[in-house]
Amino acid sequence: NAGVTQTPKFRVLKTGQSMTLLCAQDMNHEYMYWYRQDPGMGLRLIHYSVGEGTTAKGEVPDGYNVSRLKKQNFLLGLESAAPSQTSVYFCASSPDPLNTGELFFGEGSRLTVL
Amino acid sequence: QQQVKQSPQSLIVQKGGISIINCAYENTAFDYFPWYQQFPGKGPALLIAIRPDVSEKKEGRFTISFNKSAKQFSLHIMDSQPGDSATYFCAARARGGSQGNLIFGKGTKLSVKP
């Protein structure tokens, strides 16, 4: 049972470089989310998707873009990385957040921007 | 109004003791209050959740107490064990058009000493 898989798990970038984080879920969930976790800041929602082909902004969307071309995948892109984007990124999915409310998280992707 | 305030930031408890983590909120539109547990290097996982129509929910050694009038809820871990050492996040979900997005507290790092 893979659940939610994030790749890569670690990445070091230089300021201005671009990269994409991939999230894949095998639970056929409609909803997918990208969060960032910073010390003392909890989990903050970057972008989310309520179904294939849809995306929406969360609390801290600036500097990030997302795409949900396939139901099982949710991609998070950084076009021009900045040191402020150094963080641990978590992807999550949910079958029906308005009913069950449960999010299923991946193990995280640690990004360092130098 | 969208914040969930969590305290303490860190907590050290002796094995067998009671761990108590508190959260407070302002938004009366919140209708679902989960707690997530996160071990180092892992993603958060749902531990226990409560809805505002009940004042307490217990699952094994974990209990949520909910005070609707005070807009506060807390997690109690009875007979705390070293294996409970983790970071705990409270969260809240607003009913209505938010697609079930959770607002997380900033987290409490719990250390249970043997």
Side-chain angles (χ1 to χ4, degrees), chain A residues 37 40 48 97 99 103 107, chain B residues 36 38 42 51 89 93 99:
Chain A
Q37 183 177 26
Y48 64 98
N99 186 13
L103 298 183
E107 295 200 336
Chain B
Y36 280 77
Q38 183 183 28
K42 301 294 185 182
R51 296 182 190 272
F89 293 96
R93 180 190 72 192
Q99 290 79 44

Side-chain angles (χ1 to χ4, degrees), chain B residues 26-46:
Chain B
E26 290 294 328
N27 189 347
T28 56
F30 289 149
D31 69 343
Y32 171 73
F33 302 88
W35 285 87
Y36 280 77
Q37 180 188 54
Q38 183 183 28
F39 293 106
K42 301 294 185 182
L46 180 64

Side-chain angles (χ1 to χ4, degrees), chain A residues 7-59:
Chain A
T7 53
K9 295 191 184 310
F10 301 93
R11 184 74 187 270
V12 178
L13 288 177
K14 294 181 179 179
T15 297
Q17 288 185 318
S18 62
M19 75 157 295
T20 300
L21 297 177
L22 171 63
C23 176
Q25 53 97 1
D26 62 1
M27 297 174 283
N28 201 36
H29 288 171
E30 289 291 338
Y31 295 75
M32 296 188 75
Y33 308 82
W34 276 107
Y35 287 89
R36 61 178 289 173
Q37 183 177 26
D38 302 291
M41 297 297 291
L43 292 153
R44 293 182 292 170
L45 182 63
I46 304 171
H47 285 282
Y48 64 98
S49 169
V50 302
E52 182 179 314
T54 74
T55 62
K57 294 180 180 180
E59 179 186 358

